[in-house]
Amino acid sequence: MTDIYFVKSDIHFTKTEKKLIEYIIASPQEFIRMSIGDIARRIGTSEPTVSRFARHCGYNDFKELKGTVLRHLSEENPPAGKLISTLGNESASTPDGFLRRQQHCIEKTLEFLDVESLHKAADALLEAENIYIYAKGASVSMAELLRFRLNRFGRRVTLLPAGSSELFEYMNFFTDKDLVVLFGFQKTPKEAAVLLDYQKRTGYQCIFFTSRLYHSLEQESVIPLFVFRGEPSEYHSMAAPAALLDALVVMLGAKLGETSSEQLDCLYQLKEHYKTEIPR
């Protein structure tokens, strides 16, 4: 049975467990939306049986199994397929429909918002001596936006290289007084995984923007911020991540109080002084 992507253990499964396996393979999109009670009712079994099945597959619990299925769906559908899937959806294939879909993504992000984690993230941005931001692909747009926002508050920000061993040139100077902000969403880039691993040794704090509810972040100094970008098979916009990012920045501004206004006023005065040389 180990040729099935979500089965880690090579053991004998019961007849009911084989029905569960068949259902996940046939209807993965439905499966990831279901609670343990939903799947038990669909198969005609009990919740403890579903829970034992997850452990038999090699997971700690049902949520961890769902996380593996979710990641698999995200990885197997390439960008072109996601765009085609979105265009084939009547409710999202028009400009107004797509914008309403993004409104839904923001509402879903709000539904799962952990305000305590958002406060911790703002405090980490406030207290860090140096802030390093890692992102790759389309997420680089979010890294640039965050860098722009934080610079206006006088934070010391460095964008880390997206790939290659050049990343180690920066990591070599990380201290426990620094902060690393990661953008991972559905799939954690291998470089981000290295940064998370190195965090265990060095002790710097991490803020992790992610679309995975079921991943495991064991370090207490990793602050996960969940953002919903749509179903795994859909075209993914940056509307919801940008909204969450700006919510974090606004919270940081509130914590800075008058200091934030002073920084922005200094910026305004600087622009005014040189407006004839560099028009705004």
Side-chain angles (χ1 to χ4, degrees):
M1 299 294 291
T2 52
D3 58 333
I4 299 172
Y5 70 89
F6 58 84
V7 174
K8 297 180 180 180
S9 307
D10 187 12
I11 66 170
H12 174 73
F13 287 97
T14 66
K15 184 177 180 180
T16 298
E17 289 176 332
K18 288 179 180 178
K19 286 177 63 178
L20 283 162
I21 290 173
E22 290 171 1
Y23 182 77
I24 295 171
I25 292 173
S27 308
Q29 294 279 7
E30 292 183 14
F31 174 74
I32 61 174
R33 298 187 185 96
M34 289 178 157
S35 68
I36 192 169
D38 292 335
I39 191 67
R41 284 188 291 272
R42 178 65 61 88
I43 300 300
T45 187
S46 65
E47 292 186 19
T49 298
V50 178
S51 182
R52 282 195 298 271
F53 166 71
R55 293 195 297 274
H56 286 172
C57 288
Y59 301 95
N60 291 323
D61 52 34
F62 179 69
K63 287 185 177 181
E64 193 175 339
L65 169 60
K66 285 178 69 173
T68 294
V69 176
L70 183 64
R71 287 193 297 276
H72 178 78
L73 285 174
S74 175
E75 292 166 7
E76 72 173 0
N77 198 12
K82 292 179 181 180
L83 181 58
I84 291 170
S85 176
T86 299
L87 292 174
N89 184 343
E90 291 184 7
S91 65
S93 60
T94 62
D96 58 331
F98 184 78
L99 289 173
R100 289 193 182 93
R101 181 60 180 164
Q102 298 318 302
Q103 182 180 25
H104 170 73
C105 289
I106 293 172
E107 291 171 351
K108 202 72 175 175
T109 299
L110 181 60
E111 180 183 337
F112 288 99
L113 180 65
D114 185 338
V115 177
E116 183 180 353
S117 290
L118 205 62
H119 274 288
K120 288 180 180 178
D123 288 338
L125 290 169
L126 183 64
E127 297 164 3
E129 285 190 359
N130 300 287
I131 299 169
Y132 297 92
I133 306 176
Y134 178 80
K136 69 188 306 183
S139 300
V140 172
S141 62
M142 293 297 97
E144 287 284 2
L145 177 61
L146 182 59
R147 179 197 61 78
F148 178 81
R149 300 290 196 222
L150 294 178
N151 277 346
R152 288 197 157 193
F153 288 147
R155 302 290 92 187
R156 298 168 64 181
V157 184
T158 300
L159 292 183
L160 294 171
S164 82
S165 59
E166 187 183 355
L167 182 64
F168 300 123
E169 302 293 334
Y170 294 84
M171 290 172 59
N172 193 41
F173 295 100
F174 288 177
T175 74
D176 59 0
K177 296 181 175 61
D178 296 331
L179 170 69
V180 176
V181 183
L182 304 173
F183 290 88
F185 300 123
Q186 291 289 353
K187 185 177 180 181
T188 303
K190 59 183 179 181
E191 294 86 0
V194 167
L195 289 165
L196 286 168
D197 183 73
Y198 191 58
Q199 186 267 345
K200 299 175 189 176
R201 297 168 52 189
T202 310
Y204 51 82
Q205 284 196 301
C206 285
I207 297 173
F208 190 11
F209 284 83
T210 176
S211 292
R212 294 165 55 190
L213 272 175
Y214 307 115
H215 63 73
S216 175
L217 293 175
E218 297 177 354
Q219 306 100 292
E220 291 184 2
S221 50
V222 176
I223 306 166
L225 296 178
F226 173 77
V227 56
F228 182 77
R229 298 174 65 213
E231 301 300 338
S233 61
E234 291 179 335
Y235 173 83
H236 291 150
S237 166
M238 289 294 174
L244 180 61
L245 186 154
D246 277 336
L248 175 61
V249 169
V250 168
M251 182 175 283
L252 174 63
K255 289 178 179 288
L256 282 167
E258 292 184 2
T259 303
S260 64
S261 299
E262 291 171 3
Q263 291 287 347
L264 293 174
D265 187 58
C266 287
L267 176 62
Y268 174 78
Q269 296 299 332
L270 185 62
K271 289 181 177 180
E272 282 292 299
H273 182 76
Y274 289 106
K275 66 181 179 182
T276 56
E277 287 81 1
I278 305 177
R280 290 196 288 162

